[in-house]
Amino acid sequence: RETSSKPMYWKVTNPTLSPSHLQENARSALPPHDVERFIFVVQGSAMLTNASGVSSKLMVDSYTYLPPNFAHSLRAEGSATLVVFERRYASLENHITEQIVGSTDKQPLLETPGEVFQLRKLLPQAVPFDFNIHIMDFQPGEFLNVKEVHYNQHGLLLLEGQGIYRLGDSWYPVQAGDVLWMAPFVPQWYAALGKTRTRYLLYKDVNRNPL
Ligand code: UGY
Ligand code: MN
């Protein structure tokens, strides 16, 4: 049984069944033209510097959104484990996105009508953004009431806990450190098992016509 002395999200980089991760001091290159970037820190820390030389230190549980073609550099002092999402920005006339720096614990809990899980969103629910990142918490025994089917795709990283993920007719036992991809229209359902809270991070494309 894990003790509370372990750092937050410790299981992600120390999963039960996994070779050890390679981590060294590192600096990132920029994403390709017109590609936006989202970074979330699960272990260690990263120093983000923008074109005006302003730096922010991203600690565990904090994140940044970098608009397409936004000059920046990212440096890890020592080892760090980052979740990085990149996608070609689906631009809209007269709309632009701006850089965001935040942390999960500063985001308010949102209403989840008909559901019991706790929900936070890391990006503004505003039209310029073509995706969002949800942080969802389930207590042991809690599950999605809705068996969801929707056009949106998901990338999911289990940050804490364990449970069972149903995708279509397949059932996957999952635990912290596991990653799932859910294609458009794949029926999806989760139940939290074990003795500790489940927390997962979920990418979802939003605010654009999928056709
Ligand atoms: O927002 C969502 O689509 C989310 N509830 N899906 C999921 O957890 N599989
Ligand atoms: Mn969903």
Side-chain angles (χ1 to χ4, degrees):
R1 182 123 189 237
E2 272 167 48
T3 64
S4 53
S5 61
K6 294 281 196 316
M8 209 176 187
Y9 308 142
W10 179 83
K11 259 284 189 181
V12 176
T13 40
N14 300 276
T16 309
L17 297 171
S18 171
S20 58
H21 294 231
L22 280 181
Q23 294 152 14
E24 292 170 27
N25 288 339
R27 182 187 280 270
S28 80
L30 287 173
H33 195 65
D34 291 343
V35 170
E36 58 192 339
R37 181 179 260 178
F38 176 89
I39 295 161
F40 180 93
V41 182
V42 291
Q43 180 256 316
S45 66
M47 191 62 83
L48 176 78
T49 307
N50 67 18
S52 343
V54 180
S55 291
S56 358
K57 188 170 184 176
L58 303 176
M59 316 289 282
V60 171
D61 206 36
S62 64
Y63 60 89
T64 185
Y65 166 83
L66 302 154
N69 311 316
F70 180 89
H72 65 275
S73 86
L74 190 74
R75 199 166 34 85
E77 303 154 333
S79 86
T81 307
L82 310 177
V83 183
V84 180
F85 288 96
E86 290 182 348
R87 61 165 279 172
R88 194 164 299 279
Y89 179 58
S91 62
L92 284 181
E93 238 175 283
N94 304 321
H95 287 289
I96 50 157
T97 57
E98 280 170 359
Q99 189 198 352
I100 288 173
V101 178
S103 65
T104 303
D105 64 326
K106 300 242 164 61
Q107 304 314 309
L109 286 174
L110 303 175
E111 295 288 320
T112 56
E115 295 287 0
V116 293
F117 61 81
Q118 291 193 321
L119 172 66
R120 291 176 175 85
K121 296 190 183 183
L122 302 188
L123 297 181
Q125 296 170 260
V127 171
F129 290 88
D130 59 1
F131 73 95
N132 212 321
I133 302 289
H134 297 187
I135 300 289
M136 292 172 54
D137 294 340
F138 300 78
Q139 296 308 316
E142 291 183 346
F143 51 86
L144 286 172
N145 282 321
V146 175
K147 288 153 197 75
E148 298 178 13
V149 180
H150 50 61
Y151 74 85
N152 322 70
Q153 296 187 47
H154 289 314
L156 183 156
L157 171 65
L158 215 72
L159 292 169
E160 294 175 344
Q162 57 185 299
I164 190 140
Y165 231 101
R166 176 181 179 182
L167 298 178
D169 290 332
S170 301
W171 300 71
Y172 300 97
V174 293
Q175 61 182 331
D178 287 347
V179 166
L180 288 86
W181 173 64
M182 292 171 242
F185 299 111
V186 169
Q188 53 199 252
W189 180 83
Y190 180 69
L193 302 172
K195 292 186 173 167
T196 56
R197 166 179 90 168
T198 285
R199 168 169 282 189
Y200 64 65
L201 179 156
L202 185 85
Y203 162 95
K204 183 173 188 172
D205 53 303
V206 294
N207 292 333
R208 296 295 183 274
N209 189 330
L211 298 178

